[in-house]
Every structure is written in C-alpha cells, then in structure tokens.
Amino acid sequence: MAAPAAPSLLLLLAGAAGLSRAFFSLPLRVSQPASPRASPPAPLPLRPGSAGGGQRDAQDEAGGLALASDPAGSLNFLAMVENLQGDSGRGYYLEMLIGTPPQALNILVDTGSSNFAVAGVPDPDVTSYFNTELSSTYKSQGIEVTVKYSQGSWTGVLGTDVITIPKGIDGSYTINIATILESENFFLPGVKWHGILGLAYDTLAKPSSSVETFFDSLVRQAKIPNIFSLQMCGAGLPVSGSGTNGGSLVLGGIEPSLYKGNIWYTPIKEEWYYQVEILKLEVGGQNLELDCREYNADKAIVDSGTTLLRLPQKVFSAVVQAIARTSLIQEFSSGFWSGSQLACWDKTERPWSLFPKLSIYMRDENSSRSFRISILPQLYIQPILGIGENLQCYRFGISSSTNALVIGATVMEGFYVIFDRAQRRVGFAVSPCAEVDGSPVSEIEGPFTTTDVASNCVSSITFHEPVLWIASYALMSLCGIILLILIILLLIPPRCQHRYTDNDVVNDESSLVRHRWK
C-alpha cells in the first residue's frame, strides 16, 4: 500500500541556514592550572543518602555511592532538583558563585570536556563576567592558555578561587579556573551562560592531565561519592527559547524523583570522554544492518555539551535514508537533512506523526546482554521558531560527524543519565519530564541477547591525545629526516647550501588535538 502524502508540509526555509547555526557548538578544551596554592577549605562531612527508592548492592557500598536523597543530611539531592536552566539549542547552565565576595555566573554543563572556564573580561555576547580584581581569594597561576577550534577560539589565564553552588552541595571549595580574556566565536549571541563546566575525565584537561578537574576537586574536598547525574527537560520545546526550561545536575548521587522505571547501565570503555559501546541502530524497528564497528568509529560518547545526535557519516547516511523511506513524507529537501533548511507546518498540526522512532542499542554490564534507548520524533524533529501567526518551523536534530558518534542533547533530553565514575559506567533511565502533550517521548527496553553482534565493537587501539601528539611528532620527525636526505642528495654536488624560508617551518596543528567538535 502506498504511504499517504504529508498532510501539509507548507514550506522549506532555504534561508534558514543562519537560524540553524543559532544553536551552540562548543568544542571547549580549556586548560587547567596546577594544583591550587591555597589550602583547600576543611572538608565538609557528608554521608551517603539512604537507599530510598533504589537498591544498594555490595558494589555500591564499596564505591560509597549515594543512591537516594537524604534531606536530613548534608548531601541533599532534592535541593539540586531543577537547578539548571536552558535549552538544547543554547545549552543547560548552572548558577555558581565565584570568588570573595561571591560573583554570580551561569555556567554551561558539559560532559564532553574537562575544564572549568569563565569569561574574565566584558564581551559583547555575555551579560556578566568574573572580575578577578574584585575577589580577595583569587590567585593567578600566571599561565596563559590558548584554545583553538574549528568554530571558535579563546585565550585565557589559569588561576584558582573558591566557588559555591547555591543549588548544589553545601560549602565552598577551591577550584582551578581559567579566565577567558579573548575569544572568537566562542560566546554566541543570545546565550545566557558566562562559562563552561567540563565534567569529563582529567585525560582531556589542558595543559596537562595532572591538574585537577572541577568534579575531582569536589570529590576530594567535599568527600562526596564519585558520581553525578543529569536531567535536561527541553523535550518538544523550542530549541532556542527563553532559556527557562528546567533541568537538574545532581552532584554525588542519584535522585529517584528524576526517573521512572529501571536504570540500565553500560560500561565506560575509556575514561577520557564518557566513551560507551554502541551495538546497533534501528529506525522504525528496522535494523540498519551495519557492522557494529561503524557506530563506534572512532568512538561513541555521551556529551551534554553537544546539541544534536551526531553520527559517523556512513551511519548518518543510512539513518537519513531509513527515515526518509519510513516516514510519510515522500519527497523531502536534502537541505533539511543537512541542517541548512527548516521545515514548516501549520501550528495546528504536529508533524511528529510522520516520522519513525529511533533506537540505539548499548552493551549491558553483562556483556552477553544489551538494552536499547529509543527516542520518538518529538526529540529529533525539533521546533525552532514560528513564522507569523500560523507557521511553526522545525530542524532535524541529527547531524553527521567526521570522528565520532555523539549522544548529545537530542537524545539526553529523553533520559535521566547517571555518570557513575566510581563503577566506570553510564546509566540511563526514562525521564518523567520527557513528555510532549502528556505522552512519553523516550523508552528503555531490555535485556536483549548480543549473539547477533561482535564481542567487541570498539577498536582495541584508542588514540588518546598524548598518543596523537607522540605519533604526530614522530611522523613529522621522520618526514623531516627523509626530506633532509632528499635535499642533500639534490643539492650535492651542485650546491651544498640551502636558504630556509617560512615555508620550511612545520607547524601542523591539524595533527595535534582534534577530538573536540560539537
């Protein structure tokens, strides 16, 4: 039977490329300073919460995980509920007080980087900045840091100061901070945050992994469990809205009111990004039938600082073809899939019924089993702006990537995500706020057998940044030696002299750290 035509696909905005770029794209890898010179405040005594609505096994006890709220204690997860604001288009941010006396700033929550950086001078695109001269507890490390990305750059200075989180854990803590003094295409128009909080591992920290990350500092000083969890509540809402959508960052444990059903855990494959193992993808219940290594090329990560679900090019092409084949829209402009065009419908219509469900299979902690997280079209066909009184326009919340599969905000808005660093695993549970018009837009199901996939879908060689540096310099040195020999052979006997020019200087930055994208 032929599929019916789309009810009313009214127009495609070819000129919406600029609008599609309005959502943030932050490849931050700020450098962290050396260990604070000042002595940290006395550790705040914290005790794990009671088991509440969850079960605690022997591993949990050994890891010291707090699995539920403890309103009577110092670690009160309920106080952290709805401590985030923002949206998937411009990011979710947390209010933080920095320095003495405290200066209030909004800080973007990013699980795909490992450094804490704030605006240190006025900027046209930020409403506030951290004035180090007004803080009696700020101490500069005197180390300048420049970070360049394909979509922006900044230069800053490393230092330390005390921070408190009004809707976080109690107490003040000495933290490494990079103050951004110059930037280009980093702070974007309309953003309501003034810095970024990298929550990944110290392997990604700059200039050295020996410096302590923000969360590691909290774990050490506040004695909280080495776990945090994140809920982002922007499902079905405009991706560049008022910035008042809610969310929660729970430091030190899991808050039962932020999820329903069971938590499904997948192992962290490597502790740099939160790298996981993807086994397969389904569109409308149909397996893409790709080699599972395609999904993990060259890695698959969970990154709250990336706005979209990003897929390796081969996977992206297969997903687009499957969605186009499965949807009720017979013809659709390629510009919509590439992100350069928006699709608009009458405001009285809901286009989501025209598109299929997307499922991602992950390996369970028991390697012979898997589970799947599924997002309905309400999460990846995203409202972005209205035109006049009658039209609502949408963007495609999936894009291609050259070097990774990235589970970004498009997917994470459907789930409560637990970053259990103590037990080296990432957990997913259905989020109660992932609803549109009263209906859930995300699902978790399992377990499933893994007999139909390879025993290991992740390359055994992981090119972490230090390895990349060594490899790149070794290759450049080898090429230099070979080039030198060739020059000598060419110039002898006619000429034994070579006048060097700027073109001979090798400065191949592209072979250095190239693992941030967003």
Side-chain angles (χ1 to χ4, degrees):
M1 179 183 294
S8 304
L9 177 58
L10 295 181
L11 74 145
L12 282 164
L13 295 181
L19 291 170
S20 68
R21 288 193 296 268
F23 53 87
F24 76 96
S25 180
L26 297 178
L28 187 69
R29 185 173 283 120
V30 190
S31 298
Q32 289 189 335
S35 299
R37 297 174 186 170
S39 299
L44 181 69
L46 300 176
R47 56 191 179 88
S50 60
Q55 294 182 344
R56 189 194 305 267
D57 58 26
Q59 262 192 318
D60 293 333
E61 293 289 355
L65 301 184
L67 295 181
S69 292
D70 183 13
S74 300
L75 195 58
N76 184 358
F77 298 154
L78 287 175
M80 305 181 205
V81 172
E82 296 185 0
N83 59 1
L84 299 182
Q85 290 187 315
D87 52 57
S88 64
R90 297 192 177 110
Y92 289 82
Y93 54 84
L94 173 75
E95 183 185 32
M96 199 175 294
L97 304 179
I98 307 175
T100 307
Q103 301 174 42
L105 297 173
N106 295 329
I107 309 298
L108 180 75
V109 175
D110 181 20
T111 64
S113 66
S114 301
N115 302 88
F116 180 37
V118 297
V121 293
D123 185 281
D125 293 321
V126 296
T127 56
S128 298
Y129 69 97
F130 176 48
N131 190 335
T132 59
E133 295 182 357
L134 299 181
S135 175
S136 62
T137 47
Y138 174 78
K139 294 187 178 182
S140 175
Q141 298 287 336
I143 303 173
E144 183 179 279
V145 180
T146 298
V147 183
K148 297 180 180 180
Y149 314 100
S150 59
Q151 297 183 2
S153 65
W154 60 261
T155 297
V157 176
L158 304 177
T160 63
D161 210 335
V162 295
I163 63 96
T164 58
I165 305 173
K167 293 185 177 181
I169 62 175
D170 294 335
S172 298
Y173 306 95
T174 300
I175 301 295
N176 296 323
I177 301 174
T179 50
I180 299 172
L181 305 181
E182 298 178 6
S183 66
E184 182 178 357
N185 296 326
F186 177 73
F187 296 109
L188 303 179
V191 298
K192 297 186 178 181
W193 42 264
H194 317 112
I196 189 163
L197 174 58
L199 291 170
Y201 291 97
D202 57 11
T203 304
L204 300 182
K206 300 298 171 188
S208 168
S209 61
S210 63
V211 298
E212 191 170 57
T213 65
F214 181 97
F215 192 68
D216 283 340
S217 294
L218 288 188
V219 171
R220 177 178 60 84
Q221 297 177 41
K223 307 300 182 186
I224 64 173
N226 193 13
I227 179 175
F228 66 90
S229 48
L230 182 60
Q231 180 197 56
M232 302 187 295
C233 294
L237 300 175
V239 297
S240 295
S242 62
T244 57
N245 301 337
S248 303
L249 173 63
V250 178
L251 301 169
I254 302 169
E255 169 50 48
S257 66
L258 299 181
Y259 72 94
K260 54 186 178 181
N262 297 322
I263 301 173
W264 289 85
Y265 287 97
T266 187
I268 294 174
K269 300 299 291 185
E270 292 289 340
E271 294 174 307
W272 53 332
Y273 300 99
Y274 292 98
Q275 182 181 353
V276 296
E277 183 180 12
I278 307 300
L279 303 185
K280 62 181 177 180
L281 264 66
E282 290 179 348
V283 174
Q286 299 298 311
N287 189 350
L288 293 184
E289 301 293 349
L290 295 176
D291 187 309
C292 68
R293 285 178 286 269
E294 298 287 352
Y295 303 120
N296 300 278
D298 58 0
K299 55 189 166 292
I301 67 172
V302 183
D303 181 3
S304 66
T306 293
T307 61
L308 307 179
L309 167 60
R310 304 202 66 191
L311 303 173
Q313 183 58 56
K314 186 173 183 179
V315 180
F316 175 74
S317 298
V319 166
V320 168
Q321 291 173 11
I323 292 177
R325 184 174 59 251
T326 310
S327 74
L328 300 182
I329 299 175
Q330 295 305 295
E331 294 184 5
F332 219 102
S333 168
S334 61
F336 176 70
W337 307 119
S338 66
S340 63
Q341 293 180 316
L342 303 179
C344 302
W345 284 266
D346 189 280
K347 287 185 177 179
T348 60
E349 298 181 8
R350 291 293 183 264
W352 299 311
S353 62
L354 307 175
F355 296 89
K357 178 170 65 176
L358 177 64
S359 300
I360 302 173
Y361 285 74
M362 298 183 183
R363 196 178 297 276
D364 186 68
E365 289 185 287
N366 179 342
S367 62
S368 64
R369 305 190 313 179
S370 67
F371 65 94
R372 71 182 176 213
I373 60 175
S374 300
I375 58 171
L376 273 62
Q378 287 88 334
L379 285 172
Y380 70 84
I381 304 296
Q382 303 171 336
I384 193 167
L385 83 164
I387 296 181
E389 297 181 357
N390 300 320
L391 295 180
Q392 177 67 51
C393 298
Y394 299 77
R395 76 173 183 190
F396 188 45
I398 306 173
S399 70
S400 63
S401 168
T402 58
N403 56 358
L405 185 151
V406 188
I407 297 175
T410 291
V411 177
M412 293 181 69
E413 286 184 335
F415 304 95
Y416 182 45
V417 185
I418 296 92
F419 297 86
D420 186 349
R421 296 153 60 100
Q423 298 190 61
R424 195 170 169 166
R425 60 186 184 174
V426 176
F428 293 84
V430 172
S431 170
C433 71
E435 294 186 352
V436 175
D437 297 331
S439 298
V441 295
S442 60
E443 303 168 355
I444 296 185
E445 297 170 288
F448 303 100
T449 180
T450 59
T451 55
D452 59 336
V453 296
S455 59
N456 182 18
C457 297
V458 178
S459 172
S460 59
I461 301 177
T462 303
F463 292 103
H464 287 188
E465 291 170 15
V467 177
L468 283 176
W469 295 341
I470 296 171
S472 63
Y473 285 126
L475 287 173
M476 284 191 292
S477 299
L478 179 60
C479 291
I481 292 172
I482 295 173
L483 181 62
L484 181 60
I485 293 173
L486 291 175
I487 291 173
I488 293 173
L489 292 175
L490 289 172
L491 297 183
I492 297 176
R495 180 180 292 178
C496 297
Q497 192 175 4
H498 175 69
R499 182 171 296 173
Y500 286 91
T501 67
D502 291 340
N503 292 332
D504 293 312
V505 178
V506 178
N507 185 20
D508 184 13
E509 292 186 0
S510 66
S511 67
L512 300 179
V513 187
R514 281 283 153 269
H515 279 305
R516 288 301 293 144
W517 56 92
K518 299 206 181 170

